[in-house]
Amino acid sequence: MQQKLSIYNTLTRKKEVFEPLHAPHVGMYVCGPTVYGDGHLGHARPAITFDLLFRYLTHLGYKVRYVRNITDVGHLENDADEGEDKIEKKARLEQLEPMEIVQYYTNRYHKAMEALNVLPPSIEPRASGHIIEQIGAIKKILESGYAYESNGSVYFDVEKYNKDYDYGILSHRNIEEMLNTTRDLDGQEEKRSKVDFALWKKATPEHIMRWPSPWSDGFPGWHIECSSMSIKYLGNEFDIHGGGLDLMFPHHECEIAQNTAIEKHRVVKYWMHNNMITVNGQKMGKSLGNFITLDEFFTGSHEMLTQEYSPMTIRFFILQAHYRSTVDFSNEALQAAEKGLERLMDSYNRIKKIPISDTSCALDIKGLRQKCYDAMNDDLNSAVVIAHLCEAGTAINSACAGNITLTKEDKEELENIFDTFFFDIMGIRNVEETTGGNMDAFGKAIDMLLDIRQKAKENKDWATSDHIRNELAKAGFEIKDGKDGAEWKLK
């Protein structure tokens, strides 16, 4: 059965059947991190959300060019047009070159993404490596009449653009309301209107990161980088632009205005935004000081944490909720996710122990596969997929207990459902991957030790039995004795 994916388009505020502009090729651009500090749980959510989409589109047979940028210049304090560049500020405080800061935190970001099993994008451009393209884009916007130069800086003329198009089409904001609510900031007298935003900023004498341009020695504004890099690598029409909900305004709104001024038409077909992770109802972020870094989650070293959490627990925790819903952090929620992940892993590992029967139970095993597809096709509803996998887990446990009977085909189908949706599409790392890919030999070695332990118990050699159990526990294995022998799993 051919699958039909529907996704929620933030631009139109409705679910739409995904129809690529140039099938089977798909162009997808996602706003990546601003690399000036350690990544936190809020950074993990868009990475995992769009990794899920990338994996699913690839699974459906599309050829995806996935571009995820690195912001390493032009992102000023408080997302404004004045103030210090965030990376430059970090470099000054630590007495390092800005690109040292960029490389250090980019390396840390990549390491965290690898731990979370987030696939690398097809292309990962840096803003600082595309200054020429950004200057070229600014020239086109000036030529179109929607920008102006002022004292060596260049600003986008929002009110003039709004007369011809619709500034606010994505966030559904009214420009009159923006004019009334946007605060006046010091040092912005060179703007015609307080809603105008910078395309190029003239650098002050002390500013380190600067490049020559027709207007001044300076640096690009934050928004122009994504317009320039997305069009360069995906063309003047592409399928999907994604990012966190907090980027919808002003960043993505400004991108749409820039794109339209440059190309005179809509560039992006589908806009997608993941919702926020909150702590006690507040957005998790550096500006609020309530963030926990991914390293702190992995080590349990933050004061708000009661234990360490594995990268796969973090990934499962995020996927347990639909990407457009808010997720509130708590230790209790993470512990529940950890237990849920363990139960599903245990169920999968028990598939091989299911006794085969000639008759199948009334449970529709094959129907479970389509249920999972239906959930994924309904705007990537990973939460419902997990619910169906739990249903599959219940069938596995019931079959192992002898309460229901399953055929060889049922057993193979259950294993295939887990392989497809749990490991491949949802990206949960299989135990086999963490044991050098040789799970059969690994499992046989543990089973052999448990057989030796069982014989020691039969011979009342309690010292040997306890020694094997204790050593396996030290090595990270949990052993459970049952009426049919011992079972093991990695902690």
Side-chain angles (χ1 to χ4, degrees), residues 92 167 233 248 333 385 418 422:
R92 180 175 54 78
Y167 185 79
Y233 293 110
M248 184 192 298
V385 174
F418 269 85
F422 198 49

Side-chain angles (χ1 to χ4, degrees), residues 3-255:
Q3 306 301 325
K4 276 285 186 182
L5 169 63
S6 290
I7 56 178
Y8 184 84
N9 190 347
T10 314
L11 190 68
T12 59
R13 292 196 173 181
K14 63 182 181 181
K15 290 181 186 177
E16 298 176 9
V17 175
F18 179 65
E19 295 177 343
L21 293 163
H22 309 289
H25 298 276
V26 173
M28 183 169 82
Y29 185 92
V30 174
C31 289
T34 301
V35 285
Y36 62 92
D38 285 335
H40 55 75
L41 198 60
H43 289 155
R45 193 170 195 192
I48 291 170
T49 294
F50 292 101
D51 183 60
L52 177 69
L53 177 60
F54 182 30
R55 287 170 179 270
Y56 192 54
L57 289 172
T58 304
H59 173 77
L60 293 180
Y62 293 111
K63 299 180 185 299
V64 185
R65 176 176 286 180
Y66 176 18
V67 182
R68 185 185 68 204
N69 75 295
I70 294 288
T71 296
D72 60 354
V73 65
H75 198 164
L76 306 186
E77 292 291 335
N78 302 315
D79 301 339
D81 287 334
E82 296 296 327
E84 196 166 8
D85 184 293
K86 293 182 178 182
I87 292 167
E88 190 170 294
K89 179 180 180 180
K90 192 89 173 174
R92 180 175 54 78
L93 291 173
E94 298 189 17
Q95 297 184 325
L96 296 170
E97 284 290 327
M99 287 302 119
E100 282 185 272
I101 295 293
V102 169
Q103 193 62 54
Y104 175 77
Y105 286 109
T106 299
N107 291 344
R108 289 177 71 87
Y109 177 75
H110 287 159
K111 184 178 178 182
M113 292 303 102
E114 184 178 352
L116 291 166
N117 204 23
V118 170
L119 298 174
S122 314
I123 304 172
E124 192 176 54
R126 291 186 182 185
S128 63
H130 295 77
I131 301 298
I132 293 173
E133 288 84 357
Q134 292 173 78
I135 290 173
I138 295 167
K139 287 179 179 178
K140 288 182 180 179
I141 297 172
L142 281 165
E143 289 167 6
S144 73
Y146 298 119
Y148 57 90
E149 182 184 353
S150 178
N151 192 31
S153 295
V154 181
Y155 294 95
F156 193 94
D157 194 330
V158 171
E159 290 187 79
K160 184 174 181 180
Y161 170 85
N162 191 60
K163 290 176 183 177
D164 298 329
Y165 299 100
D166 180 7
Y167 185 79
I169 191 173
L170 182 66
S171 59
H172 297 265
R173 298 191 182 200
N174 182 283
I175 193 166
E176 282 74 25
E177 292 177 3
M178 292 184 224
L179 285 167
N180 292 329
T181 57
T182 302
R183 61 194 174 98
D184 291 312
L185 297 172
D186 293 336
Q188 297 203 36
E189 298 83 2
E190 58 192 26
K191 289 185 181 183
R192 291 178 184 171
S193 170
K194 58 186 178 182
V195 295
D196 294 349
F197 57 88
L199 299 172
W200 185 264
K201 287 292 294 179
K202 181 180 180 179
T204 56
E206 66 274 9
H207 202 94
I208 305 170
M209 301 173 78
R210 59 203 297 148
W211 292 265
S213 80
W215 316 287
S216 65
D217 277 5
F219 54 93
W222 173 31
H223 313 302
I224 194 65
E225 66 176 66
C226 287
S227 286
S228 304
M229 291 188 286
S230 62
I231 291 173
K232 176 180 174 66
Y233 293 110
L234 298 175
N236 61 9
E237 281 186 302
F238 62 92
D239 298 294
I240 299 168
H241 193 311
L245 191 63
D246 55 329
L247 295 178
M248 184 192 298
F249 186 88
H251 187 49
H252 291 163
E253 195 73 74
C254 294
E255 273 193 69

Side-chain angles (χ1 to χ4, degrees), residues 310-370:
S310 73
M312 286 304 98
T313 296
I314 299 298
R315 186 177 180 105
F316 188 73
F317 170 68
I318 289 172
L319 291 172
Q320 272 188 316
H322 189 271
Y323 77 90
R324 286 193 290 113
S325 65
T326 303
V327 175
D328 198 54
F329 157 79
S330 69
N331 276 289
E332 292 75 18
L334 276 170
Q335 288 164 357
E338 185 176 62
K339 289 177 182 176
L341 177 60
E342 285 180 0
R343 282 194 295 269
L344 283 172
M345 282 291 192
D346 286 347
S347 297
Y348 175 77
N349 291 330
R350 297 185 76 187
I351 292 175
K352 291 181 172 60
K353 299 179 181 180
I354 296 174
I356 295 172
S357 172
D358 294 331
T359 59
S360 180
C361 68
L363 200 66
D364 183 10
I365 301 297
K366 289 186 177 178
L368 275 174
R369 170 181 292 276
Q370 190 54 47

Side-chain angles (χ1 to χ4, degrees), residues 326-471:
T326 303
V327 175
D328 198 54
F329 157 79
S330 69
N331 276 289
E332 292 75 18
L334 276 170
Q335 288 164 357
E338 185 176 62
K339 289 177 182 176
L341 177 60
E342 285 180 0
R343 282 194 295 269
L344 283 172
M345 282 291 192
D346 286 347
S347 297
Y348 175 77
N349 291 330
R350 297 185 76 187
I351 292 175
K352 291 181 172 60
K353 299 179 181 180
I354 296 174
I356 295 172
S357 172
D358 294 331
T359 59
S360 180
C361 68
L363 200 66
D364 183 10
I365 301 297
K366 289 186 177 178
L368 275 174
R369 170 181 292 276
Q370 190 54 47
K371 284 182 180 180
C372 290
Y373 273 122
D374 290 344
M376 286 299 300
N377 292 335
D378 185 17
D379 196 27
L380 307 177
N381 202 328
S382 56
V384 174
V385 174
I386 289 173
H388 292 319
L389 290 172
C390 289
E391 188 180 344
T394 299
I396 292 165
N397 296 333
S398 295
C400 286
N403 297 327
I404 62 172
T405 58
L406 298 176
T407 64
K408 180 182 178 184
E409 290 74 21
D410 290 335
K411 183 176 175 179
E412 290 173 350
E413 180 67 3
L414 283 167
E415 187 168 11
N416 195 269
I417 287 170
F418 269 85
D419 287 341
T420 300
F421 292 96
F422 198 49
F423 300 124
D424 293 344
I425 293 173
M426 299 189 72
I428 300 299
R429 187 174 278 122
N430 194 344
V431 174
E432 184 173 342
E433 296 180 44
T434 64
T435 55
N438 194 2
M439 190 62 184
D440 286 341
F442 181 80
K444 286 176 182 177
I446 303 301
D447 289 339
M448 181 181 69
L449 282 171
L450 291 178
D451 285 342
I452 294 171
R453 178 172 175 266
Q454 182 60 32
K455 288 176 183 176
K457 288 173 69 177
E458 291 170 0
N459 294 328
K460 296 185 172 23
D461 183 358
W462 309 119
T464 300
S465 170
D466 291 344
H467 178 72
I468 293 173
R469 182 189 183 101
N470 293 339
E471 289 303 310

